Amino acid sequence: MCGIMGYVGARDALPVVIEGLRRLEYRGYDSSGVAVWNGREFHWEKCPGKLEVLEDRLKRRPLPGSLGVGHTRWATHGGVTEINAHPHFSCDRRITLVHNGIIENYAELRRSLRRHRFTSDTDTEVIVHLVEEHYRGDPLGAVRAAARRLHGSFAIVVAFADHPDLLVGARRNAPLVVGLDHADTFIASDIAALLPHTRKVAPLQDGQLVVARRTGNGHADVRGVDLSGRPAPLHPITVPWALEEADKHGYPHFYLKEIFEQGQSLEAELQGRLDMKRGGVVFDGLSSDVKRVRRVAITACGSAWHAGLVAKYAIEALARLPVQLELASEMRYGDTPFDRGTLLLAISQSGETADTLEAVRLARRNGARTLAITNMKGSSISREAEDVLYMRAGLEIGVAASKTYTSQVMCGLLWAIQLGRWRRTLSADHARALLREARRVPDLVRRVLDRAGAVRRVAKRLADCKDYMYIGRRFNLATAFEGALKMKELSYLHAEGYGAGEMKHGPLAIVDDRLTTVAVVPRDGVYPKMVSNIQQIRSRGGRIVAVATEGDGNARGVADEVLAVPRVDELFSPLVTVVPLQLLAYHTAVRLKRDVDKPRNLAKSVTVE
Ligand code: G6P
């Protein structure tokens, strides 16, 4: 959701900024722009549409210079037009700024800046005029003063004509990371944009500003301050991801590549964590406090919420604790009773989802313990939560979650097993049996992937289908929700996830031969119930696609199409059953010529409400 890239250093800024924007494309955008200091003034180019349009224009009009900012915009205030695209400029064109976030008091600020000449309809433009208003020769001071007057969320990078060797960045409730490499400094929305240049990155903290100056002695001078101007040092980390992770490796889409990486990513989740001797799971660096809980509340958004549903059932079954599962967008405005005996488990791949972050803050303010499951070191949620369990999914570029979903599920399951061990509700022997099953999962997933061709053929046979119902129960209710979400996101077709037992309370009314029901029906504790749910749909003329255990003749008898998955303990079955549904959504989307990696209207990391 909006991408920011800023560069100051010894190189030509434009290619660095454009490459950064390209790697941020996956966040979702509808227009783009760049500004570069050419030694006399800022020159810029911006336009609606894809980056290629911008690049095309830049071919005709290259912008030389070694200080630059760039932006991919996801419109919030004002239409998708050239004028509304970033960068935005002060009245005298000597200050330029790019922004991700939403300024809630922009109307009021705009009124107070009546003397300034506004050219766009954006909330962002007030920031650059506000910086201009406060600017008396001190760039950092001006950005700081402006930032203090902003309500809402922002990640900004600002460049000043008077200081062409310097960039200022600032953030609140929107991510910004600084990349460090000797004389070069990069400031971007996320690590993906920095990987071509450096793995030494410092995520900015909430309310932190950074000023990066090119010094000429081969090293950049990069400092952090807080909003009151006190030093707030940066804490660089070395990210473990290689640049190759940001490439497609011959796959036509990142999403498909990431589906096929799931054998490997799930293996990584297990690496070094399974203690077969004691029958438990080892998590690095968790405080002993997290085990002393009386109840668990789980919060998340999107696919992460579906992973939370699997975790809920697993914790209830293995650790015998009451678990409340709540969408973060609901929890943040709700009245969930929190206390020190409650553990809030927040699941977020990006660690930046605005609703999830606010739910964590609410829980902390109300005294709960907090544990985050996230893929991003240094992210806002990882910093806000008391304890963090890091996923090891690697970089995911496709907007729709695939390998990060299965990693979230696996982490939730491992956590539930260990919680059961801590609470002595799960015996060492039972835990060992579950861990042995966990070990089989990466290969079982690979086995499903080996049959990707069969899923493609099913997708082809479903070519006339425009309405989908996905049904499941217990552990695979989450799979039904996730399968439907993938179909919606990728193919733009109508798809609904539903509890199979709920069909008789309404949805059966819409069943006819134009509705396709995808039933997730592995051999598990609710199998016979699922089969009768399917029969009720079939007897009303509905078409059935069953995700069923290999060799299940029964399922073959009631379904029009079968997507076979290997047998596995029901706890781990969502990791296996979701894979054919990811592929089904993929092949449907490809057939419909959708933009698989960047579905319309969606963003990978939703940092605004
Ligand atoms: C967006 C993404 C989804 C993701 C959700 C939650 O909607 O498109 O794929 O599941 O945000 O993201 P998180 O980073 O918090 O897991």
Side-chain angles (χ1 to χ4, degrees), residues 73 77-78 83-84 88 91 103-130 133 149-151:
R73 172 172 186 249
H77 297 65
I83 284 172
N84 289 334
H88 288 286
C91 298
I103 303 306
E104 286 163 5
N105 58 338
Y106 84 99
E108 175 193 325
L109 288 171
R110 192 164 166 152
R111 277 195 297 277
S112 76
L113 292 163
R114 218 170 286 123
R115 290 187 305 117
H116 291 247
R117 194 167 43 84
F118 281 82
T119 52
S120 79
D121 307 317
T122 63
D123 54 336
T124 297
E125 201 184 349
V126 300
I127 316 176
V128 70
H129 290 291
L130 205 54
E133 186 75 13
R149 292 182 58 190
L150 302 175
H151 298 172

Side-chain angles (χ1 to χ4, degrees), residues 493-508:
L493 292 178
H494 170 241
E496 229 174 307
Y498 230 84
E502 279 289 295
M503 288 297 285
K504 55 187 175 292
H505 298 294
L508 273 187

